């Protein structure tokens, strides 16, 4: 640790005014981790990139890390401590790890904010003391459900002949909120409740959704059309791939996801439309930037971020994705 940053900290501790030189030096002293459950997914790559860019702009260090299971998260925290980090942003691989993660962080006196997936305490309730930023799952789910209903109507489908493949993950509260929102919106639009079939996935990615979807499609071969929804577009894409393998054509399927990340862009860029009709885009750039910024403020100015920030989204389809991508900075 160099002499000048120590002085800056002393000055801060004494409540003295912060000169611009002092602020820059304080920033140089800050290191934060950004730990994500699925480092290969475009959503999380984008969040980490946005946090890193903020660090470059403000002059603090962001260490991007993978935390795909509890063990990896705990070693990442140990590793951050050895790098002198004052805290981390995390999207945990399992929300029930909250208490264990907090114990480790508190041992090192690190500040923690969650992004996307909120910790649950031992009582099964959200850990209110840990500031969180995530999407308003239920509302965004409703948007996905309404988009499906609208497209069904545009295609003139008869509700009797349409089934829904609801790819669920009830272990993760934000996932349940999203699929519940979509279900309610569909029911309100006149979708038949008896035609909704669950495909519980073990994870939140394409392959787990594909595995969950295939047997459900085979079991209900009597339906002419299918709609597909899930907590995210990666999972809806797993369902769409399963529908293709089962032999359904693009015009028999309406899948609407959530995220608006590289997974959806790749699908929209295919020459021929697929059953993946659209996705509710939320800004992963904003999630990464804002969660890192909240933590940075907390570390440098002692200002604890809000307990819960809920973000919103916009429907993205083949028709508007380039424009929305630009507008949302994705
Ligand atoms: C969960 C999902 C991700 C993404 C984020 C957004 O973590 O697994 O795909 O949707 O929520 O908050």
């Amino acid at each position: 640790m160099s002499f000048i940053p120590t002085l800056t900290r002393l000055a801060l501790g004494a409540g003295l005014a912060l000169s611009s030189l002092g602020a820059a030096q304080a920033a140089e002293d800050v290191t934060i981790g950004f730990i994500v459950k699925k480092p290969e997914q475009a959503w999380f790559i984008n969040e980490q990139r946005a946090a890193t860019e903020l660090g470059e702009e403000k002059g603090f260090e962001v260490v991007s890390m993978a935390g795909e299971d509890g063990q990896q998260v705990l070693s990442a925290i140990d590793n951050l401590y050895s790098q002198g980090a004052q805290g981390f942003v995390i999207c945990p691989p399992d929300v029930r790890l909250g208490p264990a993660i907090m114990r480790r962080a508190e041992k090192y006196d690190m500040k923690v904010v969650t992004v996307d997936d909120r910790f649950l305490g031992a009582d099964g309730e959200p850990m209110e003391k840990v500031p969180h930023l995530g999407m308003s799952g239920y509302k965004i789910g409703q948007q996905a459900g309404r988009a499906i209903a609208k497209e069904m109507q545009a295609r003139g489908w008869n509700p009797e002949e349409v089934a829904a493949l609801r790819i669920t993950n009830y272990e993760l509260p934000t996932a349940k909120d999203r699929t519940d929102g979509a279900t309610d919106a569909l029911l309100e639009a006149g979708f038949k409740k008896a035609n909704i079939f669950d495909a519980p996935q073990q994870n939140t990615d394409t392959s787990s959704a594909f595995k969950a979807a295939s047997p459900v499609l085979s079991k209900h071969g009597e339906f002419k059309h299918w709609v597909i929804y899930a907590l995210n577009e990666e999972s809806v894409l797993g369902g769409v791939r399963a529908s293709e393998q089962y032999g359904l054509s693009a015009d028999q399927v309406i899948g609407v996801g959530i995220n608006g990340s590289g997974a959806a862009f790749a699908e929209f860029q295919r020459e021929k439309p697929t059953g993946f009709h659209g996705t509710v885009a939320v800004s992963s750039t904003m999630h990464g930037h804002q969660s890192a910024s909240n933590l940075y403020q907390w570390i440098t100015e002692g200002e604890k971020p809000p307990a819960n920030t809920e973000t919103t989204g916009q429907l993205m389809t083949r028709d508007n994705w380039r424009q929305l991508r630009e507008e949302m900075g994705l």
Side-chain angles (χ1 to χ4, degrees):
M1 196 185 296
S2 72
F3 175 63
I4 295 174
T6 309
L7 255 189
T8 308
R9 265 201 298 274
L10 286 175
L12 273 172
L16 297 178
L18 194 61
S19 71
S20 58
L21 179 70
Q25 284 162 343
E28 268 165 36
D29 248 11
V30 174
T31 297
I32 64 166
F34 202 110
I35 307 173
V36 300
K37 65 177 182 179
K38 295 244 164 252
E40 78 289 355
Q41 281 187 359
W43 172 273
F44 295 107
I45 294 172
N46 210 31
E47 279 187 340
Q48 289 183 325
R49 200 198 57 219
T52 305
E53 282 172 8
L54 176 75
E56 280 161 6
E57 187 192 310
K58 301 261 182 202
F60 66 94
E61 173 120 22
V62 177
V63 187
S64 291
M65 298 172 127
E68 301 187 60
D69 58 40
Q71 207 42 54
Q72 207 182 17
V73 170
L74 295 179
S75 353
I77 301 171
D78 293 345
N79 188 328
L80 283 170
Y81 175 68
S82 66
Q83 296 190 50
Q86 294 87 350
F88 55 90
V89 178
I90 182 167
C91 176
D94 180 341
V95 289
R96 290 164 307 188
L97 289 168
I101 294 172
M102 288 312 292
R103 260 198 306 280
R104 186 67 60 102
E106 278 158 7
K107 174 172 141 194
Y108 296 139
D109 203 18
M110 285 185 190
K111 295 188 164 53
V112 182
V113 311
T114 49
V115 69
D116 302 323
D117 300 351
R118 195 174 188 190
F119 289 158
L120 292 183
D123 56 1
E125 292 298 316
M127 290 178 77
E128 301 281 346
K129 67 167 183 181
V130 184
H132 177 70
L133 183 146
M135 48 174 88
S136 48
Y138 186 79
K139 283 193 201 142
I140 285 176
Q142 280 179 312
Q143 271 177 285
R146 286 191 202 114
I148 290 174
K150 197 167 162 210
E151 182 63 15
M152 271 177 67
Q153 212 175 24
R155 295 191 195 182
W157 288 359
N158 169 3
E160 298 291 330
E161 300 170 343
V162 190
L165 177 67
R166 173 169 63 187
I167 302 169
T168 59
N169 187 329
Y170 289 160
E171 304 279 297
L172 180 61
T174 182
K176 182 165 191 305
D177 289 347
R178 298 178 202 181
T179 48
D180 282 355
T183 302
D184 289 351
L186 281 172
L187 294 177
E188 263 164 47
F191 201 93
K192 289 195 68 182
K193 198 170 183 181
N195 294 2
I196 301 178
F197 304 106
D198 277 345
Q201 62 179 159
Q202 300 298 319
N203 211 310
T204 52
D205 56 12
T206 302
S207 64
S208 64
F210 181 90
K211 263 191 233 145
S214 294
V216 178
L217 293 169
S218 321
K219 203 171 156 199
H220 302 281
E222 69 275 22
F223 290 96
K224 210 163 145 189
H225 306 290
W226 283 85
V227 305
I228 306 176
Y229 58 101
L231 93 151
N232 60 16
E233 66 208 18
E234 287 79 2
S235 302
V236 170
L237 282 167
V240 170
R241 294 290 92 88
S243 74
E244 290 161 354
Q245 196 197 45
Y246 179 66
L248 295 169
S249 59
D251 59 1
Q252 288 177 286
V253 174
I254 301 170
V256 173
I258 291 171
N259 276 354
S261 66
F265 307 154
E267 192 73 5
F268 293 141
Q269 279 177 85
R270 284 167 175 250
E271 205 186 319
K272 280 202 189 133
T274 67
F276 185 79
H277 170 68
T279 193
V280 182
V282 178
S283 178
S284 43
T285 304
M286 192 274 264
H287 277 215
H289 181 283
Q290 194 57 46
S291 55
S293 169
N294 286 351
L295 178 61
Y296 177 69
Q297 295 289 337
W298 192 8
I299 292 168
T300 55
E301 287 167 31
E303 187 188 307
K304 191 171 180 181
N308 189 17
T309 306
E310 294 201 326
T311 61
T312 55
Q314 294 184 66
L315 182 68
M316 178 183 259
T317 62
R318 263 177 101 86
D319 297 334
N320 70 353
W321 74 272
R322 285 177 205 276
Q323 188 198 330
L324 259 190
R325 181 182 185 179
E326 179 84 26
E327 275 172 30
M328 297 177 80
L330 299 168

